[in-house]
Amino acid sequence: MSTAREQSAGAENRVVSADGTEIAFEQSGSGPAVVLVSSALADRSDTTKLAALLAEHFTVVNYDRRGRGASGDADLYAPDREIEDIAALIEHVGGSASLFGSSSGAVLALRAAAAGVNVDRLALYEPPFVVAEGDKGPPTDLAEQITVLLAGGRHSDAVKYFMTRVQGMPGIAVFVMKLMPKTWASLTKLARTLPYDIAVMGDTQQGKPLDAEEWKGVAVPTRVLTGGKSPAAFRRAALAVTEIVPQADHRTLPGLNHGAVVMAPRKLAPQITEFIKG
């Protein structure tokens, strides 16, 4: 196998995870390694622009989480399998790397660090923990509702349900998205992985404090970023992380919202770069 620095930029590469699943990724740039962990209903295409900006400073691994894009999948899912995927990617680039994760991908990155994966630094954008009693979390039967819709082949309805009931998008916004056939088809194709992100989030969206025991393994410098235009619940979630992770801090980025990874990568990239460079 060629070394990390020998891979051609933009070419699709693959690593084999612990359970034999092939994980597809693109690698670009040079320098310290950074692995990008995407959110729900996203694959590596969502972080292509951000990857290009970060590649000016780092070796960037932009991968498809299992079940998405060009990556494989297995019959049985558990968040531990995705942690193993991240570990395989890190091993490929030399055995250590920083992680950048957004939304539920930020929580997956946190879980990888807590599990002892060799992470240098964690940059997280708006992990969607729901930690205050008054903050609105997803429906308590979210997993069941999504499972029923997917089992019935109603993938489009599953996407709509997740967007409106979990992400809080107005119904009219979803209606407009459905008028863009290519975009909606991409989202519908990713619907089958919604249970994965629900499992990654676990019981962290129930309006109660984070369990410090669950995250005690996170022992690396961690920065939690939130957008100034995002709901205040994201800021409360970020501050909750800083309270239980010893080396964590928080920054608010003016003018950004939850979609910043896709919509404003040029404003996000300098913040990630500054932190990972230390």
Side-chain angles (χ1 to χ4, degrees), residues 257-278:
N257 60 23
H258 199 58
V261 170
V262 174
M263 305 303 294
R266 289 192 176 277
K267 293 183 179 179
L268 197 54
Q271 302 293 329
I272 300 168
T273 300
E274 177 191 14
F275 172 67
I276 292 178
K277 283 187 172 183

Side-chain angles (χ1 to χ4, degrees), residues 2-278:
S2 59
T3 66
R5 303 304 185 266
E6 290 170 345
Q7 301 285 355
S8 57
E12 184 176 283
N13 303 288
R14 292 172 187 269
V15 294
V16 179
S17 194
D19 70 345
T21 300
E22 289 193 349
I23 303 299
F25 67 97
E26 293 177 1
Q27 184 173 305
S28 54
S30 62
V34 182
V35 178
L36 307 185
V37 188
S38 63
S39 64
L41 293 175
D43 57 23
R44 74 178 191 257
S45 66
D46 289 74
T47 40
T48 297
K49 291 180 180 178
L50 180 63
L53 294 165
L54 294 176
E56 296 174 12
H57 308 277
F58 309 109
T59 296
V60 180
V61 173
N62 189 22
Y63 78 104
D64 286 326
R65 287 173 56 187
R66 62 173 51 212
R68 312 176 190 210
S71 286
D73 205 354
D75 292 335
L76 297 175
Y77 177 82
D80 285 351
R81 302 294 79 76
E82 291 217 71
I83 291 171
E84 291 167 355
D85 300 344
I86 292 172
L89 291 162
I90 290 176
E91 183 62 30
H92 170 77
V93 291
S96 69
S98 295
L99 302 179
F100 169 76
S102 60
S103 198
S104 55
V107 179
L108 178 56
L110 263 173
R111 291 199 183 280
V117 175
N118 198 7
V119 175
D120 296 325
R121 286 174 169 254
L122 279 174
L124 311 173
Y125 189 73
E126 296 196 337
F129 297 128
V130 181
V131 298
E133 192 173 335
D135 289 337
K136 186 178 179 181
T140 55
D141 62 347
L142 171 64
E144 291 82 0
Q145 292 286 351
I146 293 293
T147 298
V148 167
L149 290 171
L150 294 177
R154 299 168 61 190
H155 289 208
S156 179
D157 289 340
V159 173
K160 179 181 178 180
Y161 185 88
F162 189 84
M163 286 183 159
T164 55
R165 300 299 300 276
V166 180
Q167 296 179 325
M169 287 181 63
I172 186 65
V174 177
F175 175 78
V176 171
M177 290 185 75
K178 292 179 78 170
L179 297 178
M180 298 181 281
K182 189 174 180 180
T183 298
W184 194 253
S186 297
L187 292 168
T188 301
K189 190 174 181 180
L190 292 165
R192 61 180 295 276
T193 64
L194 283 172
Y196 299 3
D197 290 277
I198 295 169
V200 165
M201 295 308 302
D203 64 353
T204 64
Q205 295 181 298
Q206 297 180 0
K208 60 184 182 182
L210 296 176
D211 180 2
E213 186 70 17
E214 187 173 8
W215 309 100
K216 69 178 183 180
V218 183
V220 298
T222 300
R223 176 155 297 170
V224 191
L225 303 168
T226 56
K229 286 188 173 180
S230 293
F234 285 115
R235 184 174 182 274
R236 285 190 278 273
L239 293 173
V241 174
T242 68
E243 289 171 4
I244 61 172
V245 174
Q247 298 185 66
D249 63 16
H250 167 244
R251 297 285 188 277
T252 297
L253 307 183
L256 301 188
N257 60 23
H258 199 58
V261 170
V262 174
M263 305 303 294
R266 289 192 176 277
K267 293 183 179 179
L268 197 54
Q271 302 293 329
I272 300 168
T273 300
E274 177 191 14
F275 172 67
I276 292 178
K277 283 187 172 183

